[in-house]
Amino acid sequence: MNAWLAIDSGGSKSHLMITDEEGMPIQDCFCPGIGLAVDDESAPLPELMAQVRQLTKGLCITRIAANLGGKNENQLRKQLAGMFPEIPVDIFRESSGVLANQLGKKYHANAVVLLGTGVIVNTRGPRGCMITDGWGSNIGDMGSGYWIGLEAIRRSLISLEDEPPLSLLAQAVTGRKTPLCPSSLGGHLMAERDAVRGYIGVPLDRAKTAAYARVAAQYAQDGDKMARKIFSDAGNAIAETTVRGLKKAGIKEHASVLVVGGLTNVRNLWEEAFANALIQSYPDAVYRIEKIDLIQGAVEYMLSAHHMEERKND
């Protein structure tokens, strides 16, 4: 059976999908992400390629398109070319905006917000295309899963220096029931602080930090005020990035925004703040939140390329 392979690979997880040659999904699966954004073509990708091998077993793959959340283009291309040497392989970095543009066309949106471990906003307008944020953890990705996880840690640590009581989120993050108490300088206070660092798991990598977003979401759903404030602040940050991109692309009114990615699963925690901030700058804005990712953009890209080839052959 002839089929296509679409891949959406980020730092935290990868999504693989098999479709028929009309873009209709047949099966899909998830596996760990590529990880660090290195581009060493000699480095293997064992978990990802094992899933590709399993998913494509018994199929004749005729086209491949992939989204990359990092910079691993040469690395992934070499792995796929080794497994499928005769097949066209199209790989796009997320920050190129190519696959997000495919989603924008499909949903008639002039802004596509990719909202997961990171955040990147792609806008199209009279002045052209604009990529906003997506700078990566520690320096950007405001309102992302990583940002939410880091804020959960930061605000929990700050609350240890405040008066009691600790929020339930702060207790879960720090492993303490009460704030730190003043004491004479020396080993006792230092030992308590070191115990908190050890409980959190310092030093934290990108994936472990982002994992705290799930902890924050659990407590926010249960009404924890600190957790809910983090998600409200995230909604405001996402809207600010979206507005910045819309304005830079020259969109003065009638903003149409599509929001996709993993954080759409907890939209109830940030949507109100996002919507309120968006309409302050674009009162007539409309937005749509879909539980999809850029794998759909990869499928749309393959469909577009396939139709172009058909027209050439007619």
Side-chain angles (χ1 to χ4, degrees):
M1 174 184 175
N2 289 350
W4 295 344
L5 171 63
I7 300 173
D8 179 24
S9 188
S12 300
K13 70 177 183 297
S14 294
H15 186 191
L16 288 73
M17 179 183 290
I18 298 294
T19 77
D20 63 20
E21 290 186 308
E22 294 182 351
M24 297 300 296
I26 298 173
Q27 58 180 325
D28 69 339
C29 69
F30 292 88
C31 66
I34 286 181
L36 293 176
V38 298
D39 197 11
D40 180 2
E41 65 177 29
S42 65
L45 296 167
E47 292 176 304
L48 178 63
M49 299 314 296
Q51 288 290 346
V52 169
R53 190 175 294 106
Q54 178 65 29
L55 201 63
T56 59
K57 187 176 181 179
L59 299 174
C60 178
I61 301 299
T62 59
R63 189 180 293 274
I64 300 172
N67 170 67
L68 277 176
K71 300 186 292 186
N72 312 66
E73 183 176 344
N74 292 330
Q75 185 184 19
L76 182 58
R77 188 179 301 280
K78 183 175 181 180
Q79 298 289 321
L80 291 172
M83 192 176 293
F84 305 100
E86 305 298 327
I87 299 170
V89 177
D90 293 301
I91 300 176
F92 301 98
R93 286 178 58 185
E94 191 169 278
S95 56
S96 72
V98 173
L99 300 186
N101 186 51
Q102 293 292 327
L103 285 183
K105 290 179 179 178
K106 179 179 177 64
Y107 288 92
H108 307 290
N110 45 32
V112 178
V113 182
L114 308 176
L115 184 54
T117 302
V119 167
I120 187 166
V121 177
N122 299 267
T123 48
R124 296 177 297 116
R127 295 174 64 184
C129 298
M130 186 65 193
I131 307 296
T132 311
D133 206 341
W135 293 112
S137 56
N138 299 325
I139 59 174
D141 290 349
M142 301 296 291
S144 67
Y146 176 90
W147 182 92
I148 291 168
L150 189 58
E151 284 300 302
I153 296 169
R154 284 174 170 165
R155 298 186 196 195
S156 294
L157 293 178
I158 289 172
S159 68
L160 288 184
E161 302 157 358
D162 207 342
E163 296 298 317
L166 284 181
S167 73
L168 292 177
L169 174 60
Q171 292 180 40
V173 170
T174 65
R176 291 184 59 91
K177 298 295 184 183
T178 59
L180 296 170
C181 294
S183 68
S184 60
L185 295 177
H188 177 69
L189 188 55
M190 182 181 67
E192 287 193 324
R193 289 167 60 90
D194 286 345
V196 171
R197 291 190 186 94
Y199 188 85
I200 293 171
V202 176
L204 291 169
D205 60 21
R206 185 171 185 261
K208 288 180 180 179
T209 302
Y212 277 94
R214 291 192 288 272
V215 178
Q218 292 171 2
Y219 283 93
Q221 299 286 19
D222 291 336
D224 184 276
K225 290 183 179 179
M226 186 172 79
R228 293 189 72 86
K229 180 65 165 59
I230 291 171
F231 278 92
S232 176
D233 290 347
N236 285 322
I238 298 160
E240 288 173 7
T241 302
T242 303
V243 167
R244 201 161 64 247
L246 288 165
K247 289 183 175 180
K248 188 71 173 182
I251 299 167
K252 297 181 179 179
E253 56 184 359
H254 306 306
S256 175
V257 181
L258 172 68
V259 185
V260 303
L263 281 181
T264 60
N265 292 316
V266 290
R267 61 185 288 177
N268 65 302
L269 299 176
W270 54 264
E271 180 179 358
E272 182 178 358
F274 170 80
N276 289 339
L278 179 64
I279 63 175
Q280 285 184 10
S281 295
Y282 289 90
D284 62 349
V286 294
Y287 69 91
R288 180 171 180 169
I289 299 174
E290 293 287 340
K291 290 185 178 182
I292 59 175
D293 54 37
L294 273 187
I295 205 164
Q296 301 295 334
V299 172
E300 291 299 318
Y301 176 86
M302 289 189 289
L303 274 172
S304 177
H306 182 64
H307 291 157
M308 288 181 64
E309 290 175 359
E310 285 184 329
R311 286 194 293 269
K312 288 181 180 179
N313 294 332
D314 286 343

